[in-house]
Amino acid sequence: MYTKQMVEERWGEILDFIRTQFDISDVSFRTWIYPLKIYDKEDNILTLIVDDTIINSNNLGFIRNRYSTYIKTAIAEIINEEYELNFILRTQIKKMEDEKKKNYGTPPSAKARFLNPQYTFDTFVVGANNNTAHAAALAVAEQPGEVFNPLYIYGGPGLGKTHLMYAIANYILENDASKKVLYVTSETFTNDLIKAIQSGSTASEEFREKYRSNDVFLIDDIQFLINKERTQEEFFHTFNEMKDSGRQVIISSDKQPRELQILDERLRSRFEWGLTVDIQAPDFETRMAILQKKQEMNHLIIQNDILNYIATNIKSNIRELEGALTKVVALSRLQKKEITLSLAQEALKDIISPDSKKTVTLELILEVVAEHFNITPAQIISVNKSRNIAYPRQICMYLCRELTSLSFDEIGRSIGKRDHSTIHYAYNKVVADYQENESIRGVIDLLKNKINP
């Protein structure tokens, strides 16, 4: 992951890529893009300065809507990382810094932290994978400190945890600008503490004032506090003071609290005092909705078969899904061609290889079948005998026999330690259903195609 300084060092290359690769006139480039400077980098969000001493502040929206895709594409091409963009006016920075000088030590509000204004509840696509987390986040935003305190959100990278945290902060500030709201990553918290320790007792007091005087405190990626004993101790006291005074704490992580085994037990137990919610990888319908929302926000017109192609093949996380759409749009603009399915396939050939034969494993079959039936691989392997679990389990057994070299005994040992006769019965049943039931035949053919196109 690039630091802010590393991105700045390559900013000239990024600008040069935009100038030479996209159909932008020299006048437009010099007016709107060349004056942009990097102000801040927080996680995968890059904040750029729009100098409103030379550009009218009313043009900020125009720059965001017209040139964001070009800038994001150039960044991805030059440094091979995907970023969301945030734009801030130079006069806003000056006002913030002047205010900070007058009130040194006063914690900045989330507005001063330049939270991405695009990360709101309105732009968050709700699906079966995240509806509980979304509902909990909205409840906390509406009544901070009164319900679900702390709120602990966990899930894999790129699934929307940071989006939800920003949405909470943006919602609170929009409805009550007097609230002190602070969002940081655990890395920022750690770095601030190190600086405070190095600078002496006065700086340490200022550090505590900054972090303990907020109405709402959001900290991202708490797992990075593992093995940092002094930082954990400081966060423990910050958490206690916030919680004891009825102020809201929101935490995100890649794991649920009990899985953070190396983290201080006192912290893990406190994380479970409130509500713990998870975000899973989005299903196909949610992935399609995300892509449709993305094209709507960026004023794009893309045929559904192309979105379908992307949603079918990019399953891991939202960040990669949106990055794939950006690549397709970028290639279209670079080649000055209409976005077609063949162009999308060309743009994503390094990510998606639909014609290459996959190595079919039992794990892959479990994953594909579980996703199709909206259950989990663990439920398939379990002893649950309900129809909505048992029949997908039998289909798994059938597909394992058809698509792998595993014997009935090997399949049985892998799927819940079942015996040879159980697997044999399931296989024969599905064979009969496939021959007699057109609906079942369609489902199994679809699953086979997903497993090995």
Side-chain angles (χ1 to χ4, degrees):
M1 175 77 67
Y2 272 60
T3 64
K4 176 195 169 187
Q5 182 180 353
M6 292 163 70
V7 179
E8 283 177 326
E9 288 171 354
R10 306 202 66 180
W11 187 241
E13 295 176 62
I14 292 165
L15 292 177
D16 193 54
F17 185 93
I18 297 170
R19 183 179 60 81
T20 58
Q21 298 298 320
F22 296 116
D23 187 18
I24 302 173
S25 70
D26 286 343
V27 172
S28 293
F29 176 80
R30 289 196 304 270
T31 303
W32 308 116
I33 298 176
Y34 184 74
L36 297 174
K37 305 296 180 187
I38 296 173
Y39 179 75
D40 193 20
K41 177 188 171 296
E42 189 81 53
D43 198 22
N44 71 318
I45 296 174
L46 195 67
T47 299
L48 300 177
I49 302 171
V50 175
D51 192 345
D52 51 337
T53 62
I54 58 174
I55 297 174
N56 191 300
S57 60
N58 294 332
N59 289 311
L60 188 147
F62 168 78
I63 295 171
R64 180 188 294 116
N65 295 332
R66 182 73 177 86
Y67 296 112
S68 284
T69 300
Y70 294 125
I71 299 168
K72 287 193 286 187
T73 301
I75 292 171
E77 289 293 331
I78 297 300
I79 66 176
N80 199 32
E81 289 185 357
E82 302 284 346
Y83 287 97
E84 289 299 323
L85 299 179
N86 188 25
F87 296 87
I88 188 74
L89 298 174
R90 184 174 293 281
T91 52
Q92 288 180 276
I93 297 171
K94 187 175 185 307
K95 287 178 183 175
M96 182 275 294
E97 291 177 345
D98 288 345
E99 190 66 26
K100 187 176 180 181
K101 288 175 184 176
K102 287 193 294 183
N103 302 289
Y104 188 71
T106 301
S109 71
K111 283 183 178 176
R113 296 285 309 166
F114 310 120
L115 291 171
N116 192 326
Q118 295 184 6
Y119 281 2
T120 65
F121 287 113
D122 288 338
T123 59
F124 187 85
V125 177
V126 182
N129 63 306
N130 60 25
N131 55 358
T132 302
H134 172 267
L138 183 57
V140 165
E142 290 174 337
Q143 295 178 289
E146 297 180 31
V147 295
F148 310 143
N149 194 15
L151 175 63
Y152 186 101
I153 307 170
Y154 73 94
L159 295 180
K161 302 186 300 294
T162 300
H163 187 145
L164 270 186
M165 296 183 85
Y166 280 143
I168 293 170
N170 282 322
Y171 184 98
I172 291 170
L173 285 168
E174 184 179 342
N175 288 277
D176 187 353
S178 68
K179 290 284 189 187
K180 290 183 178 178
V181 183
L182 180 63
Y183 163 89
V184 295
T185 63
S186 59
E187 181 183 10
T188 299
F189 184 87
T190 302
N191 290 339
D192 283 354
L193 178 60
I194 291 170
K195 289 176 186 175
I197 294 170
Q198 291 173 340
S199 300
S201 59
T202 302
S204 295
E205 285 304 315
E206 289 169 356
F207 171 87
R208 295 187 180 101
E209 173 68 15
K210 171 182 176 179
Y211 281 100
R212 298 183 190 181
S213 62
N214 298 287
D215 298 302
V216 181
F217 178 41
L218 307 96
I219 184 163
D220 219 343
D221 291 325
I222 199 71
Q223 71 272 10
F224 290 118
L225 296 191
I226 287 174
N227 294 329
K228 299 180 176 74
E229 293 180 7
R230 178 68 184 272
T231 309
Q232 288 185 43
E233 181 72 21
E234 192 63 45
F235 182 75
F236 173 78
H237 295 300
T238 299
F239 178 95
N240 282 345
E241 187 160 328
M242 291 285 295
K243 181 73 171 62
D244 291 347
S245 59
R247 291 172 289 155
Q248 183 69 50
V249 180
I250 299 119
I251 301 160
S252 85
S253 176
D254 63 346
K255 297 179 180 67
Q256 54 185 308
R258 65 173 175 269
E259 292 177 349
L260 298 171
Q261 294 299 328
I262 313 176
L263 199 66
D264 190 319
E265 172 59 30
R266 297 176 302 169
L267 279 176
R268 284 193 286 123
S269 65
R270 278 160 174 75
F271 293 164
E272 295 175 332
W273 284 354
L275 179 67
T276 300
V277 292
D278 70 323
I279 300 180
Q280 301 291 333
D283 56 22
F284 173 78
E285 291 78 11
T286 307
R287 295 197 296 272
M288 277 294 288
I290 289 167
L291 291 174
Q292 288 164 350
K293 172 71 78 172
K294 189 76 173 175
Q295 72 161 344
E296 176 188 326
M297 290 173 61
N298 288 284
H299 310 291
L300 304 170
I301 300 176
I302 301 175
Q303 299 300 317
N304 262 356
D305 63 328
I306 299 165
L307 299 182
N308 189 305
Y309 172 75
I310 299 171
T312 299
N313 289 281
I314 307 291
K315 302 177 182 179
S316 54
N317 64 55
I318 297 166
R319 196 173 297 159
E320 289 189 12
L321 188 70
E322 293 180 340
L325 183 62
T326 299
K327 281 182 179 291
V328 172
V329 173
L331 185 64
S332 166
R333 291 176 175 171
L334 280 169
Q335 297 186 353
K336 301 180 177 62
K337 291 181 179 178
E338 181 185 354
I339 296 177
T340 62
L341 183 57
S342 60
L343 183 137
Q345 290 169 338
E346 181 186 350
L348 304 177
K349 62 186 177 184
D350 294 335
I351 304 172
I352 303 170
S353 301
D355 297 325
S356 64
K357 193 176 179 72
K358 295 180 183 176
T359 301
V360 178
T361 63
L362 181 141
E363 290 76 16
L364 175 62
I365 292 170
L366 282 172
E367 179 186 333
V368 171
V369 173
E371 181 189 37
H372 180 82
F373 287 100
N374 197 28
I375 56 178
T376 67
Q379 287 176 304
I380 293 176
I381 295 173
S382 73
V383 295
N384 190 323
K385 295 183 179 180
S386 61
R387 170 72 180 174
N388 67 315
I389 303 294
Y391 197 64
R393 180 184 298 132
Q394 290 175 334
I395 289 176
C396 269
M397 295 169 180
Y398 164 84
L399 291 171
C400 285
R401 185 62 176 161
E402 286 285 304
L403 302 178
T404 74
S405 59
L406 296 173
S407 67
F408 284 134
D409 285 332
E410 289 170 326
I411 296 169
R413 285 196 296 271
S414 300
I415 302 182
K417 298 182 179 178
R418 291 171 168 83
D419 59 29
H420 174 280
S421 60
T422 300
I423 309 302
H424 198 270
Y425 169 81
Y427 177 79
N428 288 337
K429 183 179 188 313
V430 177
V431 167
D433 289 346
Y434 183 88
Q435 293 170 347
E436 299 168 6
N437 189 314
E438 186 177 347
S439 176
I440 295 297
R441 185 160 57 250
V443 168
I444 291 174
D445 287 344
L446 174 64
L447 290 170
K448 284 181 177 178
N449 187 54
K450 284 185 176 181
I451 292 165
N452 192 10

